[in-house]
Amino acid sequence: MFINTEFERGVVTITINRPEKRNALNNAVMRELTSALAHFDEKPEVGCFVITGSNQIFAAGADISEMADMTYQEMAATDYFAGWEAVGRVRTPIIAAVPGYALGGGCELAMMCDTIFATESALFGQPELTIGVIPGMGGSQRLTKLVGKSKAIDMILTGRMMDSTEAERAGLVSRVVPDHQLMDEAMHAARTIASYSKPAVVLAKECVLNAERFTIEDSVRSERRMFHGLFATEDQKEGMHAFIEKRAPQFTGH
């Protein structure tokens, strides 16, 4: 087992645990992590995921030893790295809690999540050119969307690392916290998300993602239809009546 999974108060925490390999991402990690996400994504009692690393490392990259001797034919036949795209199909929100290095595949996995919390000592980078390849898990695309063309070109073509202060300023990271507060901050946010109506949370996430996929006219129209649709839920009635009655809502996910 290369991941540890915990479920508490609506939040599933997935910890990458390959300390001897600096949490390098191989196919086994991919299968375990994506299987756990798919399994818990279907459960109505799960309101948020937190993905993190162990030993002050998120993931120092993909496992180079697994792919170094592969041929082009083997890479193409297996569509190597394609399995990671399952992370992007998860409907429940995912917070990446980055405690240290998130390089190469580690940075790409963090960017697949919906938001990134990082420690003050965290470092991000796409150094694939230093070993004769390019990002292969979506790094060139997601990094460009998050930080813009100029910053992405700088990061990818030089292979330099970006500290958490720069990452927050560039829009890659949403929160930077002291090292010892990372999981407390991530879990507080995750529990807050999990306390809300899951149908509304799932649609809110979809609306934000649609802003990148569609024209403004189409995405606004889609948002409005989803808003209308939530009036078919019990949670909408509970939430609005609780507001009128000045009490805390009791959402059930229905």
Side-chain angles (χ1 to χ4, degrees):
M1 295 288 291
F2 294 130
I3 66 168
N4 297 327
T5 305
E6 299 178 26
F7 173 64
E8 183 183 2
R9 293 171 58 186
V11 178
V12 173
T13 303
I14 300 175
T15 304
I16 303 166
N17 189 29
R18 291 188 77 200
E20 75 285 356
K21 293 289 188 178
R22 304 180 77 196
N23 294 340
L25 305 176
N26 61 7
N27 278 326
V29 175
M30 181 270 292
R31 286 190 293 268
E32 290 183 22
L33 191 147
T34 56
S35 293
L37 289 171
H39 172 73
F40 285 106
D41 191 33
E42 297 178 352
K43 296 186 178 298
E45 64 269 27
V46 175
C48 194
F49 291 99
V50 174
I51 298 178
T52 191
S54 55
N55 288 10
Q56 286 71 57
I57 297 174
F58 184 73
D63 193 335
I64 306 304
S65 63
E66 183 179 72
M67 69 179 91
D69 294 324
M70 292 180 68
T71 65
Y72 163 74
Q73 288 81 0
E74 290 170 328
M75 280 284 181
T78 59
D79 202 6
Y80 199 83
F81 282 153
W84 285 105
E85 290 305 303
V87 177
R89 294 193 290 271
V90 174
R91 301 186 73 198
T92 306
I94 308 172
I95 297 172
V98 177
Y101 289 109
L103 305 177
C107 186
E108 289 169 305
L109 173 59
M111 291 190 292
M112 291 177 196
C113 299
D114 298 305
T115 189
I116 301 174
F117 292 9
T119 62
E120 292 171 342
S121 62
L123 292 166
F124 300 84
Q126 298 291 159
E128 287 85 355
L129 281 177
T130 66
I131 57 171
V133 292
I134 63 172
M137 287 169 56
S140 65
Q141 305 306 297
R142 291 187 175 92
L143 188 63
T144 302
K145 286 180 178 295
L146 288 168
V147 306
K149 183 202 76 172
S150 182
K151 184 75 72 173
I153 286 285
D154 176 17
M155 296 294 298
I156 294 170
L157 268 59
T158 68
R160 75 175 181 89
M161 291 185 284
M162 178 190 293
D163 65 26
S164 57
T165 299
E166 182 183 1
E168 184 181 33
R169 187 170 63 243
L172 176 62
V173 167
S174 62
R175 301 190 198 183
V176 176
V177 300
D179 290 22
H180 67 281
Q181 293 180 9
L182 175 64
M183 290 309 295
D184 287 343
E185 187 85 3
M187 292 303 294
H188 178 73
R191 287 169 183 152
T192 299
I193 294 168
S195 73
Y196 299 142
S197 167
K198 184 165 184 178
V201 167
V202 167
L203 291 185
K205 169 178 170 173
E206 185 173 344
C207 283
V208 173
L209 296 180
N210 283 346
E212 291 186 333
R213 299 167 179 160
F214 306 136
T215 65
I216 185 66
E217 293 83 2
D218 288 341
S219 58
V220 168
R221 186 180 303 111
S222 174
E223 176 195 75
R224 191 164 61 248
R225 295 295 178 251
M226 293 184 198
F227 174 80
H228 296 163
L230 287 169
F231 281 73
T233 67
E234 295 174 10
D235 281 348
Q236 172 269 320
K237 299 297 185 289
E238 168 63 13
M240 289 192 170
H241 283 287
F243 177 84
I244 293 168
E245 296 163 12
K246 295 181 171 58
R247 61 176 175 82
Q250 299 298 314
F251 294 122
T252 63
H254 296 100

